[in-house]
Amino acid sequence: MNIAVVMGGYSDESVISIRSGQLILNNLDRTKYTPYEVHILPEGWDVLIDGKKYPINKGDFSFEKDGQKTTFDVIANTIHGTPGEDGHMQSYWELLEIPYTGCGFYQSALTFNKRDTLSVLAKFNIPRAKSIYLSKGDSITAKDVEATLGLPFMVKPNQSGSSLGVSKVNDLADFDKALEFAFAEDSDILIESYLKGTEVSVGVLNYNGKTTVLGLTEIVSHNDFFDYEAKYLGMSEEITPARVDATTEQKIRETAAKAYEALGMSGFSRTDFIVMDGEPHFIEINTNPGLSPASIFPQQAAHAGVAMSDLLDSEIQQAMKRKVLWRR
């Protein structure tokens, strides 16, 4: 089977995505699959073979090399951010009837929107922070936010990943700067009450047809919160398994699985919680979690003793089943 391992994207997360793509390329079983490295970047869509670029034909997502056309049986999607984590590429591939890994276009669009995700989960009684939604041009004072959410509070883009544009406001004098930082990433932002507790990241996937909690990782940031620097530049400790008691661990596992199923998810995911007084509070879900060797999801797979090649096999088989459903 020809597998297009698609990576990159149009956001600042593209560098992280390309690292994730390399892990997939290195772990696909070459006795079953012929993988191709595909970069989706603002400057173009290309297949990379031996350092040379071959343009993707957007009409059918194929490419030509030496006059021979190659099509793909399955897309292994590892784009972080737009257009591969917000439903755009998934809709396109679905129209072309090319099966792809991960969740569907609707779930991608839904979970990329923090406000809408929180709105859905509210109906399932999953604890979360208090929040204020703000669009560019709206007016609100720092005092109003403090009156509603208290101090400190978090300011984050509504649609962004890797903690890009996220700030913790400890002093109201920093509010305008935090707004500017978040609005640089998105025209809509979310202001949330600060949750003080233990941060835990939970890998959840549909493995061989069953919702499976892969593992729990405790995040200990050396910075004020788990920001981009802490995530990718070594300014945090990631402890797998998380140092929580058995009762709390079970509650986290149940809540993570409940959120995954409530959102209609499939494929790999990483859900972040803050645990306060033994109660996990939902922060966000990532539907294309980082898969570089240092990323949390592969760490959890290694601790669980599950080979990445087996996880990828399961993903590809589910993608093929999705194609069968499209044709009914």
Side-chain angles (χ1 to χ4, degrees):
M1 294 173 65
N2 289 340
I3 309 295
V5 182
V6 178
M7 61 197 82
Y10 299 162
S11 75
D12 293 337
E13 296 182 86
S14 61
V15 175
I16 309 302
S17 171
I18 288 172
R19 292 181 199 166
S20 297
Q22 301 309 311
L23 181 135
I24 293 179
L25 288 168
N26 293 335
N27 283 276
L28 282 171
D29 186 342
R30 301 300 173 100
T31 67
K32 299 178 181 177
Y33 313 115
T34 302
Y36 291 87
E37 181 173 350
V38 181
H39 288 198
I40 304 293
L41 296 167
E43 56 266 30
W45 296 14
D46 299 289
V47 177
L48 271 66
I49 301 175
D50 299 327
K52 188 174 179 181
K53 295 181 179 179
Y54 298 88
I56 288 281
N57 178 347
K58 295 181 181 179
D60 61 1
F61 207 73
S62 67
F63 76 98
E64 287 192 9
K65 180 177 180 291
D66 301 328
Q68 183 174 348
K69 178 177 177 177
T70 298
T71 58
F72 300 109
D73 298 297
V74 176
I75 310 291
N77 175 29
T78 188
I79 293 175
H80 304 330
T82 190
E85 200 172 5
D86 56 6
H88 289 101
M89 295 301 296
Q90 290 87 342
S91 297
Y92 162 70
W93 289 322
E94 205 154 314
L95 287 170
L96 294 176
E97 295 191 353
I98 305 174
Y100 54 86
T101 62
C103 59
F105 72 89
Y106 172 73
Q107 284 74 23
S108 297
L110 170 65
T111 54
F112 199 66
N113 187 306
K114 294 180 177 68
R115 180 196 64 172
D116 292 355
T117 302
L118 292 170
S119 296
V120 170
L121 293 180
K123 302 181 187 307
F124 292 88
N125 299 316
I126 293 175
R128 62 206 184 283
K130 296 179 183 177
S131 60
I132 297 170
Y133 184 73
L134 205 64
S135 296
K136 191 171 284 189
D138 290 348
S139 177
I140 194 169
T141 68
K143 285 287 188 183
D144 288 340
V145 174
E146 183 186 21
T148 304
L149 304 179
L151 199 69
F153 53 81
M154 305 297 296
V155 179
K156 58 182 70 174
N158 187 44
Q159 299 189 83
S160 181
S162 294
S163 295
L164 294 167
V166 179
S167 301
K168 180 184 175 188
V169 176
N170 296 296
D171 189 316
L172 295 185
D174 298 325
F175 180 59
D176 289 341
K177 183 180 177 181
L179 288 184
E180 182 181 352
F181 189 45
F183 277 130
E185 295 292 331
D186 190 22
S187 58
D188 298 309
I189 68 170
L190 209 60
I191 308 174
E192 294 184 330
S193 58
Y194 177 66
L195 300 174
K196 185 174 177 57
T198 301
E199 183 159 359
V200 177
S201 194
V202 186
V204 187
L205 71 157
N206 187 312
Y207 184 44
N208 294 329
K210 181 181 177 182
T211 299
T212 302
V213 177
L214 190 60
L216 281 63
T217 298
E218 181 181 346
I219 309 297
V220 182
S221 177
H222 298 165
N223 293 348
D224 203 16
F225 66 98
F226 195 40
D227 59 6
Y228 183 92
E229 186 180 49
K231 283 184 177 178
Y232 300 115
L233 301 180
M235 296 302 291
S236 67
E237 295 175 62
E238 297 167 358
I239 302 167
T240 306
R243 299 171 298 181
V244 295
D245 62 70
T247 301
T248 303
E249 177 180 351
Q250 184 61 26
K251 185 170 284 188
I252 295 169
R253 286 178 172 272
E254 289 173 356
T255 305
K258 182 179 180 181
Y260 186 91
E261 293 180 348
L263 294 166
M265 283 293 301
S266 58
F268 297 171
S269 74
R270 196 193 74 239
T271 306
D272 298 333
F273 295 93
I274 299 291
V275 183
M276 298 197 311
D277 301 322
E279 195 71 46
H281 289 66
F282 178 92
I283 302 299
E284 66 178 358
I285 184 169
N286 297 275
T287 58
N288 268 351
L291 296 178
S292 69
S295 295
I296 291 171
F297 194 91
Q299 288 179 36
Q300 293 175 344
H303 186 268
V306 183
M308 282 300 300
S309 58
D310 291 339
L311 295 178
L312 292 169
D313 270 351
S314 174
E315 278 290 277
I316 289 167
Q317 292 307 312
Q318 288 179 70
M320 295 300 293
K321 289 177 182 176
R322 178 185 290 140
K323 183 175 181 177
V324 172
L325 292 173
W326 292 343
R327 292 181 171 178
R328 287 183 179 175

